[in-house]
Amino acid sequence: AQRVTQPEKLLSVFKGAPVELKCNYSYSGSPELFWYVQYSRQRLQLLLRHISRESIKGFTADLNKGETSFHLKKPFAQEEDSAMYYCALKNQAGTALIFGKGTTLSVSS
Amino acid sequence: DGGITQSPKYLFRKEGQNVTLSCEQNLNHDAMYWYRQDPGQGLRLIYYSQIVNDFQKGDIAEGYSVSREKKESFPLTVTSAQKNPTAFYLCASSINAGNTGELFFGEGSRLTVL
């Protein structure tokens, strides 16, 4: 079965603290994983994808096939990082994305 | 101004009525999608279309219907058969079926059934 699990509904951290948003997946074969972000009053948008191995706004995510995880990390959280974050997996047919339930990140000063 | 436009933003419907949500894109994208977003449920796929005049059911297609007569348009009809239609609906597009990981989203339509 293809599935994306984000175990935390809400993650609250202080400004400057490290952030790790957890994402685990279930998939047969080589998965393609993504992180999407939705800031307040803005559209849902792509943050990063694992195949690019990029860092966007200080966030990185590494695919760990052994642990079937794709956690999103940032060493020093900023208040503007407060948003809803969704982990997503391309389905087996390659035709659409399967999304997790999302994690709300709240960064306070 | 390129992008995806969904209308209406807010819609109220009485039980037993069908309602159609509009989704238009001027990005020249081949593929389009409809997701439903419920609190604590994330996004769930309703229907998708990889090309004009073709569409497939997603995970929760029951009670919904779509059409794709034009490349830029992918309207969603919520029928009276949908048992729990009150939700936030998101339309998205991607350049083509091969780039389904990079979705561009609309602002959404909130449907409330009274």
Side-chain angles (χ1 to χ4, degrees):
Chain A
Q2 306 158 83
R3 189 167 54 247
V4 176
T5 304
Q6 292 181 253
E8 303 141 327
K9 271 190 178 178
L10 172 66
L11 183 64
S12 296
V13 302
F14 287 108
K15 179 181 169 182
V19 170
E20 183 179 58
L21 295 161
K22 291 184 167 47
C23 173
N24 289 91
Y25 66 89
S26 174
Y27 188 87
S28 296
S30 293
E32 281 191 60
L33 287 144
F34 307 82
W35 276 99
Y36 277 76
V37 61
Q38 189 167 28
Y39 301 103
S40 179
R41 297 191 190 87
Q42 292 188 30
R43 300 175 188 222
L44 190 59
Q45 59 186 287
L46 177 65
L47 179 62
L48 54 80
R49 68 202 91 186
H50 92 270
I51 56 173
S52 302
R53 299 188 65 80
E54 56 203 342
S55 173
I56 304 291
K57 298 185 180 184
F59 284 98
T60 58
D62 290 318
L63 177 61
N64 185 324
K65 289 188 178 181
E67 295 183 358
T68 59
S69 69
F70 187 55
H71 302 328
L72 184 68
K73 299 177 184 178
K74 184 169 183 177
F76 308 104
Q78 302 298 315
E79 288 182 76
E80 54 265 32
D81 295 328
S82 295
M84 173 72 90
Y85 291 81
Y86 290 98
C87 183
L89 167 72
K90 190 182 280 192
N91 66 7
Q92 209 85 46
T95 53
L97 289 183
I98 299 166
F99 284 84
K101 294 186 178 182
T103 299
T104 299
L105 175 64
S106 175
V107 182
S108 54
S109 56
Chain B
D1 199 14
I4 298 187
T5 302
Q6 290 185 240
S7 63
K9 251 186 171 178
Y10 301 94
L11 188 60
F12 296 88
R13 182 195 100 178
K14 290 182 182 178
E15 271 196 52
Q17 289 181 334
N18 291 357
V19 64
T20 297
L21 306 179
S22 169
C23 179
E24 303 277 329
Q25 54 100 356
N26 61 4
L27 300 169
N28 200 31
H29 285 177
D30 284 333
M32 297 185 75
Y33 311 80
W34 274 105
Y35 284 91
R36 172 178 167 143
Q37 188 178 32
D38 295 286
Q41 293 290 323
L43 278 72
R44 292 180 290 169
L45 183 66
I46 304 172
Y47 267 98
Y48 63 97
S49 167
Q50 295 179 300
I51 201 163
V52 176
N53 292 321
D54 187 46
F55 49 83
Q56 284 78 40
K57 292 182 179 180
D59 301 318
I60 56 165
E62 186 175 347
Y64 299 98
S65 66
V66 293
S67 63
R68 187 86 189 277
E69 297 174 4
K70 298 187 295 182
K71 187 175 185 176
E72 56 270 21
S73 179
F74 191 41
L76 173 74
T77 297
V78 185
T79 75
S80 56
Q82 167 49 231
K83 290 183 172 49
N84 187 19
T86 294
F88 191 63
Y89 292 88
L90 282 170
C91 180
S93 70
S94 64
I95 292 173
N96 52 47
N99 284 282
T100 193
E102 185 167 1
L103 299 181
F104 293 79
F105 282 89
E107 292 184 309
S109 293
R110 185 168 298 281
L111 172 64
T112 303
V113 175
L114 304 171

